[in-house]
Amino acid sequence: RYLHYPLRRQRQMCIRDSINAEYGEFKVMKAFIFVLLFCLPAVLADTCGGNCPSDDCNSCWCGTSPNDLDPASWCAQYSGWDQGCCQCIVNAESGGNANAQNDNTNGSSDVGLWQINSVNWGSCSGGAAPCDPNTNLNCAIKVWQWGGNTFRLWSTCGGCGCC
């Protein structure tokens, strides 16, 4: 009778260890699922699928897929401005990504090829984010005109030599 006790105890310990191992694997899987469900969407929202290079965007105004366009082609659609300056501004502002976005420290947002600031959306795009490249172009033309037919209202104009 006493001889069988160590074997029975050993079997119980093996079963317990097996249950604990399975429970441990379950806990790891549960943690992984938690990360996928709750953390990954937060990370994707912050970066907007790569459209928000600052990684701190509160919402994805222009979606979560980049829309890379040729700045020269879009600048050429308006003959009133200097083409080289326009291309430099677009490259500096959005890198040619029509869905680019930046949230500013003052709570405003910049979107699109020309990074049109949200304070201007009401005056150039009916209050909506000008994510569509044509709408963004029309807003850029208005902002350029408001700046005295210069790029001085873009923070990147100095770096482009276009102020």
Side-chain angles (χ1 to χ4, degrees):
R1 183 174 179 185
Y2 294 106
L3 293 175
H4 296 286
Y5 177 76
L7 291 176
R8 186 173 56 190
R9 181 75 177 142
Q10 187 177 15
R11 250 188 319 220
Q12 289 173 344
M13 289 173 59
C14 286
I15 291 170
R16 186 193 71 210
D17 290 346
S18 175
I19 290 171
N20 285 341
E22 288 176 21
Y23 181 69
E25 289 173 11
F26 175 74
K27 284 174 42 179
V28 168
M29 182 61 82
K30 191 171 152 182
F32 180 72
I33 290 171
F34 175 81
V35 167
L36 282 178
L37 291 177
F38 296 102
C39 298
L40 187 60
V43 168
L44 289 176
D46 285 351
T47 65
C48 293
N51 291 335
C52 179
S54 62
D55 292 342
D56 63 355
C57 293
N58 294 321
S59 61
C60 301
W61 294 103
C62 298
T64 57
S65 298
N67 182 11
D68 295 318
L69 302 174
D70 177 36
S73 297
W74 283 91
C75 288
Q77 293 187 38
Y78 182 66
S79 61
W81 52 34
D82 180 274
Q83 295 299 305
C85 282
C86 178
Q87 291 172 37
C88 183
I89 294 290
V90 170
N91 281 315
E93 293 286 341
S94 67
N97 180 2
N99 291 341
Q101 173 179 332
N102 181 53
D103 283 356
N104 302 305
T105 56
N106 67 0
S108 66
S109 296
D110 304 325
V111 300
L113 288 171
W114 284 271
Q115 291 293 278
I116 304 301
N117 189 275
S118 56
V119 300
N120 299 312
W121 298 355
S123 301
C124 70
S125 61
C131 298
D132 172 72
N134 287 306
T135 305
N136 201 265
L137 169 65
N138 291 327
C139 286
I141 292 168
K142 287 184 179 184
V143 173
W144 181 79
Q145 291 169 339
W146 297 333
N149 294 338
T150 71
F151 288 101
R152 71 180 176 89
L153 297 179
W154 277 268
S155 63
T156 54
C157 73
C160 290
C162 301
C163 293

